[in-house]
Amino acid sequence: MAEKNNIPQFVNSDSFMADKNYVKWLSDLKKRFHIAQLKAAVKVNTEMLKFYWSLGEDICEKQKQYKWGANFMKRLSLDLRAEFPKAEGFSVVNLYYIKRWFVFYSSHTNFFYQAGKKLQDVENSTSAN
């Protein structure tokens, strides 16, 4: 274990023999780590898609429900970027794309159901592993 002052610890080559079992185990660990990274990335992307879908839906509903004026998207963009300065995707143009994405695909319910069902199946199979 590394000391508190973070000085790297080296293994003396005389004190450790890497046999084929160790090499195989290390290779397996590397593969499992890469798989875990990929699963995490897929999960993050899935959650972000769900968020953008709900944001597009919210924008459509709020614009119908309230009369916030022509600068609504600009204001929303400024507020979201102020709150999440390191996040990308909240420019005015992107907010319009998010809205258009929702409007387009929500009108294609059969396609959305199939894609949503497939995503749900993938989520269920990965959570079982």
Side-chain angles (χ1 to χ4, degrees):
M1 186 158 177
E3 294 178 9
K4 291 182 182 178
N5 57 7
N6 292 329
I7 296 173
Q9 300 295 309
F10 297 98
V11 176
N12 185 337
S13 62
D14 296 335
S15 66
F16 179 75
M17 284 281 286
D19 62 4
K20 65 180 181 181
N21 292 321
Y22 177 81
V23 172
K24 184 178 182 303
W25 177 65
L26 182 60
S27 176
D28 181 55
L29 285 175
K30 291 176 185 178
K31 287 176 188 174
R32 288 174 18 212
F33 182 77
H34 286 298
I35 289 169
Q37 284 181 313
L38 289 172
K39 284 183 177 182
V42 167
K43 186 68 175 172
V44 167
N45 288 339
T46 301
E47 293 304 315
M48 290 308 298
L49 284 173
K50 288 178 183 178
F51 170 76
Y52 288 133
W53 181 265
S54 68
L55 177 58
E57 183 177 30
D58 287 350
I59 290 171
C60 290
E61 287 178 11
K62 300 302 180 196
Q63 284 184 319
K64 287 178 188 173
Q65 187 177 8
Y66 303 107
K67 303 298 180 208
W68 287 332
N71 287 323
F72 161 67
M73 295 289 250
K74 288 179 186 177
R75 184 73 226 188
L76 180 61
S77 173
L78 288 172
D79 289 338
L80 289 172
R81 288 187 294 160
E83 182 65 28
F84 307 107
K86 294 183 180 179
E88 296 180 10
F90 293 130
S91 69
V92 176
V93 171
N94 282 348
L95 292 177
Y96 277 108
Y97 284 142
I98 290 168
K99 178 185 173 185
R100 287 178 58 196
W101 176 65
F102 171 79
V103 169
F104 178 80
Y105 284 107
S106 65
S107 66
H108 294 78
T109 54
N110 187 33
F111 171 80
F112 178 69
Y113 172 77
Q114 290 173 356
K117 179 70 173 152
K118 186 173 182 178
L119 282 175
Q120 185 178 25
D121 292 343
V122 170
E123 280 185 26
N124 291 338
S125 68
T126 56
S127 63
N129 291 333

